[in-house]
Amino acid sequence: MGAVGLVAVLTWSGAACSVIPTGDKAIAVDNERKSNPLGDPYARVIAMPPSPSWTAEEVVTGFRAAMASVDDPRREVARKYLTDDFAGKWNPLSGVTVYKQEEYVPAQEGEKETRVTLKGTVTAMIDQDGRYWPKSTTLNEPFTLVKGAGGWRISSAPDGLMLSEADVDRAYLKVDLYFLDSAWKGLVADQVRVPIDPSSNFAKTTVERLLKGPSSLLRKAVNSAFRPGTELIDVTTDDNRVVVDLTKPVDSDRIAPMSAQLAATLSGLTNGGWGFEIRVNGELYYSDTALQIAAQEQSDFDPWMTPGEVRPYYLAGGALWQLGNDKVGRQIQVGEGEMGDTRIRPAISNQGQVAALSKDRTKVSVAPLTVGGKWQDRFTGHDLTPPSWDRYDTLWTVDRPSDHSSTVLRTGNDGKQYRVTVPDLDTVYVKALKVARDGVHVAVVVKNGTGEEEVEIGTIVGRGGDTRITDLQSVVSADGGQTIKDIAWKDGKSLYVLTGKSELLEASVTDEPKSLASNARIETITALDGSLLAGAVDDNGNRQVLSWNRGSAKWEAMVKEGGSTDFTEKGPSSPAYPLG
């Protein structure tokens, strides 16, 4: 409140209450729309126009507050803070600068013109697609003001919206949109921020954004089952179902992918407990039958959405083992024999194969997880990274001919080897590469131009000989000579990073890294949704597999060898989940 504040109350999206300023007070009035169970509470704010008596600094403060009002999507009140000429040029839709404010630095106020500078830290940018890009740069933005008959008005300011972190949390909905991979068999998450629309419910706002298609990072890598030009008429509820009314049906062979897209996208808003129904122009999808979608349709379409009971593998005594529910391992016969002491860092495919790196790092070999199969060399090179499978049964590695060059390679069951086009990696040293379970996102550990190590996440585009990795962006930097020990995908959105100090971080392209735990014994990691395992070694070289207990926030011994959890010199190491 106050001269340049916002009127605010807690309300529901599309709910029965809004706020109207009346002089120096705000009163609540009923909306015609009824409360929708798909809406979440949010702080509804009403922007206040400037006063002729305000100082230049108060006008800038009021303008910033008006930019944060979701109840004024066209920012008409915010434009009242601008001169007529600048109001015609200012484009609030060009993007969002997210900041932490520290101070105003006002210039000496003249009679007709002055400048107020906003100082602080830029923490992120939100582009026109809704992609949230974390960053950390100095904020030093000047606002030029001129004085007229109505008081101070802004004649020059940064384009787009400038919102504080609290403004963004209040004004934007964080959603995961789901699209189809290049084979139309799996789902890929596109994490975006969607502006809250007070006249709509959250589900309608989200589906409208889904129909617009993926963000620029994924546009060339994914598909959508909806026909081009399909629009949303409404999203309502009926008999414990979310009813989505579209202007066009999808093609008959796209019904299953479309159903999975919708169920996955809306499950976060419905807490997974609502089914869905699709209508077209208000009518049943078929002439006499409704198209109904199960609440967890996405899991039936793509099992990796909720993988369920998947048991990890590990090495011990030169053999490959699989961990049982009782935490006791059973030995797996691989190929013509055991893994042996010459093969390390196993990677398990989606189709019952194991790949391993030779100890001298010059070969990557593959064998079926069956008795009698043979080990076959898939890659030979100068210095190869540990292998990584993708969901298409394709194997990846990186060859490092020198400390300043890397070549990304991939091969399928046909035995053909392809060089993947990644110009950003040609002249750097790649320490590791891991493909996410969605088959589209990929993470690499590189030494940058200054010799520091960092983790980057990019997008896989194309298939076969036309495969390339694009849009690599740094998500974790190991400053001060630190190293990155290992990386492991949690799912298609989040990545675990193990630093040289054995600090464990969780990172993504849309959030700042979060610190989870530290343990000096940890050497390698693998993950699958809520499960996180680590290969550890003590000062005497004894090994064990550890599991992260989120409840107690502690690492616990995972494998029982002969009824004991003691370390042994040839004890379990290098845990690996399939596609992990």
Side-chain angles (χ1 to χ4, degrees):
M1 298 294 290
V4 293
L6 289 174
V7 178
V9 297
L10 186 68
T11 187
W12 292 79
S13 176
C17 176
S18 65
V19 177
I20 299 175
T22 57
D24 60 351
K25 296 191 297 183
I27 61 171
V29 298
D30 287 338
N31 280 346
E32 293 183 1
R33 295 181 60 89
K34 300 300 182 182
S35 179
N36 192 305
L38 296 178
D40 285 340
Y42 73 98
R44 170 167 283 185
V45 295
I46 303 296
M48 308 298 289
S51 169
S53 63
W54 287 358
T55 66
E57 187 174 322
E58 287 175 330
V59 168
V60 174
T61 300
F63 177 57
R64 287 174 43 231
M67 284 192 287
S69 175
V70 297
D71 283 80
D72 183 18
R74 298 176 62 87
R75 300 309 191 269
E76 294 177 356
V77 175
R79 292 183 189 278
K80 295 180 179 180
Y81 287 82
L82 312 178
T83 62
D84 291 342
D85 181 61
F86 185 54
K89 299 176 181 177
W90 181 61
N91 179 15
L93 302 179
S94 63
V96 179
T97 300
V98 187
Y99 66 91
K100 287 182 179 178
Q101 180 189 356
E102 293 180 0
E103 61 176 341
Y104 277 133
V105 180
Q108 185 172 358
E109 193 170 297
E111 290 186 5
K112 296 296 183 182
E113 184 173 336
T114 190
R115 175 177 292 183
V116 175
T117 302
L118 176 63
K119 289 185 174 290
T121 302
V122 175
T123 59
M125 303 294 292
I126 303 176
D127 64 20
Q128 293 179 341
D129 285 334
R131 270 279 181 170
Y132 187 93
W133 304 82
K135 61 188 305 183
S136 181
T137 58
T138 300
L139 176 67
N140 187 28
E141 292 290 358
F143 294 78
T144 302
L145 297 94
V146 295
K147 196 168 189 178
W152 289 104
R153 293 294 182 268
I154 298 170
S155 61
S156 176
D159 208 18
L161 298 178
M162 294 190 65
L163 303 180
S164 69
E165 292 178 330
D167 292 335
V168 172
D169 290 340
R170 180 173 59 241
Y172 281 79
L173 180 65
K174 184 177 180 180
V175 298
D176 293 334
L177 308 175
Y178 282 88
F179 297 93
L180 289 310
D181 63 10
S182 59
W184 295 84
K185 294 180 179 179
L187 293 166
V188 183
D190 193 3
Q191 296 179 288
V192 298
R193 304 292 177 100
V194 180
I196 290 175
D197 181 356
S199 67
S200 179
N201 61 63
F202 286 177
K204 183 176 181 180
T205 300
T206 300
V207 175
E208 285 175 335
R209 177 60 188 84
L210 177 68
L211 294 176
K212 290 180 180 179
S215 65
S216 58
L217 284 182
L218 295 179
R219 198 162 291 149
K220 296 180 180 179
V222 298
N223 300 297
S224 179
F226 299 97
R227 289 181 181 176
T230 300
E231 296 181 358
L232 178 67
I233 297 173
D234 202 0
V235 177
T236 57
T237 58
D238 181 21
D239 194 21
N240 291 326
R241 292 192 307 274
V242 177
V243 180
V244 179
D245 192 5
L246 304 173
T247 58
K248 297 181 181 180
V250 301
D251 297 334
S252 59
D253 61 341
R254 300 292 188 228
I255 290 178
M258 178 269 292
S259 300
Q261 269 189 268
L262 273 175
T265 299
L266 292 177
S267 62
L269 297 178
T270 63
N271 295 320
W274 289 64
F276 307 93
E277 181 178 322
I278 307 299
R279 296 176 184 171
V280 178
N281 294 312
E283 303 293 334
L284 294 178
Y285 194 85
Y286 306 104
S287 59
D288 57 351
T289 308
L291 174 56
Q292 296 187 2
I293 303 170
Q296 299 298 325
E297 183 73 21
Q298 70 273 21
S299 300
D300 294 334
F301 180 82
D302 183 353
W304 287 110
M305 287 291 294
T306 51
E309 194 68 30
V310 179
R311 307 309 304 171
Y313 296 77
Y314 61 92
L315 293 180
L320 184 69
W321 300 68
Q322 186 176 33
L323 192 64
N325 290 329
D326 54 2
K327 295 187 178 182
V328 174
R330 64 181 184 91
Q331 189 172 336
I332 305 297
Q333 295 293 327
V334 178
E336 295 177 315
E338 310 304 341
M339 291 282 293
D341 292 331
T342 61
R343 296 187 176 97
I344 60 175
R345 301 303 299 271
I348 312 300
S349 80
N350 195 27
Q351 302 295 328
Q353 297 187 92
V354 58
L357 179 66
S358 63
K359 266 194 173 179
D360 63 4
R361 296 183 178 271
T362 61
K363 293 181 180 180
V364 170
S365 305
V366 175
L369 293 172
T370 57
V371 178
K374 295 182 179 181
W375 283 98
Q376 295 182 341
D377 294 339
R378 284 285 186 91
F379 298 104
T380 58
H382 301 82
D383 178 22
L384 300 172
T385 62
S388 175
W389 293 96
D390 66 24
R391 67 184 301 153
Y392 313 112
D393 215 27
T394 298
L395 190 62
W396 296 67
T397 188
V398 182
D399 191 16
R400 291 82 55 95
S402 72
D403 290 342
H404 300 286
S405 63
S406 298
T407 302
V408 180
L409 304 170
R410 60 179 291 275
T411 181
N413 281 329
D414 58 5
K416 293 182 179 179
Q417 183 173 300
Y418 301 97
R419 176 171 178 168
V420 180
T421 302
V422 201
D424 291 344
L425 302 182
D426 288 345
T427 57
V428 298
Y429 185 83
V430 177
K431 287 187 63 177
L433 178 148
K434 291 286 182 70
V435 180
R437 289 184 176 88
D438 61 15
V440 170
H441 291 100
V442 61
V444 292
V445 180
V446 303
K447 287 185 179 179
N448 60 28
T450 62
E452 295 182 337
E453 296 185 5
E454 61 183 0
V455 181
E456 299 176 347
I457 292 178
T459 305
I460 299 172
V461 177
R463 301 291 295 273
D466 189 39
T467 306
R468 56 197 185 279
I469 296 175
T470 64
D471 298 305
L472 284 165
Q473 52 191 300
S474 178
V475 295
V476 173
S477 295
D479 300 326
Q482 281 292 312
T483 59
I484 304 294
K485 279 187 177 181
D486 202 7
I487 54 176
W489 282 99
K490 175 184 178 183
D491 48 34
K493 301 176 292 183
S494 301
L495 180 79
Y496 291 119
V497 178
L498 181 66
T499 70
K501 288 184 177 180
S502 294
E503 179 186 16
L504 191 67
L505 306 174
E506 183 176 344
S508 76
V509 295
T510 59
D511 290 297
E512 288 292 330
K514 297 181 293 186
S515 180
L516 297 181
S518 295
N519 188 316
R521 297 181 296 170
I522 296 176
E523 289 189 323
T524 66
I525 54 175
T526 187
L528 180 61
D529 289 344
S531 178
L532 174 62
L533 305 181
V537 59
D538 66 10
D539 294 338
N540 298 318
N542 299 318
R543 300 181 180 279
Q544 179 58 286
V545 172
L546 304 179
S547 174
W548 176 246
N549 186 321
R550 294 180 182 274
S552 63
K554 293 181 180 179
W555 288 100
E556 300 175 349
M558 186 68 177
V559 180
K560 294 180 180 179
E561 297 290 341
S564 170
T565 56
D566 294 335
F567 283 78
T568 58
E569 185 176 352
K570 290 190 176 182
S573 66
S574 300
Y577 274 111
L579 304 187

